[in-house]
Amino acid sequence: MEQHRTRPPQYRPRRGAPLPAQTGRAAADRVRRSAPPAQRPAPVPTPARRRMPNPRLTGLGGGLFCGATMFALACLDQLLFGASLVVYGVLFLPVCALTALWVRRGDIVTAPVVVPIAFAFGLLPVADGGGGIGGELMGLVTALATQAGWLYGGTLVAGVITTVRKIHLMSRRAARRRAAQRPRPEIRPRRRPA
């Protein structure tokens, strides 16, 4: 049976206990190390540049973003355009591009996988199904079959963006590796003229 220690070890000084008096250079070094660092002045704020937001989503986060966005856009399409599948398909393309751009580097390959799933999930509100589960399922399958062009197009957009990002990432890694392997020039001390 394992017993847990209830008292602190005896060889360590307790918190708040006074330290023995120290003299000499070692004491000054300890004081310098324990003193809080000097506060630096706050950096001068630079003018804010406008640029696109740059969130980094995990693979799961990218799937949730894409699925939730497509479902919300499908509900909006249902309200404004009467469940137009063409409008839904057109809105799917920029969502695919954003998903592929916002997924973090380690999860790049998930973007082309999650966008078709999000497309199918978002079709639920706009698929023209009959009554009951069987009718809804048949409407979903029919919408997937008739809108396959938008599905393939969005997946292709995500795949191309992901491929370009991956190539760029691999070339940066190779450049860093080459720079690390280069021999560094020796720095010779300058001689003073006699």
Side-chain angles (χ1 to χ4, degrees), residues 68-119:
T69 304
M70 288 314 301
F71 191 82
L73 289 174
C75 291
L76 193 64
D77 179 25
Q78 173 80 22
L79 290 173
L80 297 179
F81 300 106
S84 171
L85 292 175
V86 174
V87 171
Y88 178 79
V90 169
L91 292 173
F92 177 63
L93 298 178
V95 172
C96 290
L98 287 176
T99 302
L101 286 171
W102 286 351
V103 171
R104 66 182 182 179
R105 290 181 218 150
D107 296 326
I108 287 178
V109 294
T110 60
V113 175
V114 299
V115 292
I117 298 168
F119 184 84

Side-chain angles (χ1 to χ4, degrees), residues 13-89:
R14 284 185 270 163
R15 290 184 189 162
L19 295 174
Q22 298 174 350
T23 59
R25 190 171 173 184
D29 285 343
R30 284 193 189 102
V31 168
R32 242 181 275 132
R33 272 188 250 141
S34 65
Q39 294 201 2
R40 296 180 183 164
V44 178
T46 57
R49 292 184 295 178
R50 289 187 174 251
R51 52 183 181 164
M52 287 204 43
N54 194 17
R56 288 294 169 220
L57 303 171
T58 63
L60 179 62
L64 290 173
F65 163 74
C66 193
T69 304
M70 288 314 301
F71 191 82
L73 289 174
C75 291
L76 193 64
D77 179 25
Q78 173 80 22
L79 290 173
L80 297 179
F81 300 106
S84 171
L85 292 175
V86 174
V87 171
Y88 178 79

Side-chain angles (χ1 to χ4, degrees), residues 97-181:
L98 287 176
T99 302
L101 286 171
W102 286 351
V103 171
R104 66 182 182 179
R105 290 181 218 150
D107 296 326
I108 287 178
V109 294
T110 60
V113 175
V114 299
V115 292
I117 298 168
F119 184 84
F121 177 68
L123 273 177
L124 292 174
V126 293
D128 190 24
I133 295 175
E136 290 296 323
L137 185 60
M138 196 54 125
L140 180 63
V141 170
T142 304
L144 281 170
T146 58
Q147 302 305 312
W150 294 112
L151 175 63
Y152 294 146
T155 306
L156 181 68
V157 166
V160 167
I161 291 173
T162 316
T163 304
V164 169
R165 282 186 63 197
K166 187 67 174 179
I167 290 170
H168 179 67
L169 180 65
M170 289 169 56
S171 66
R172 278 187 20 201
R173 282 184 186 164
R176 268 193 246 132
R177 218 176 295 127
R178 283 192 302 266
Q181 290 175 352

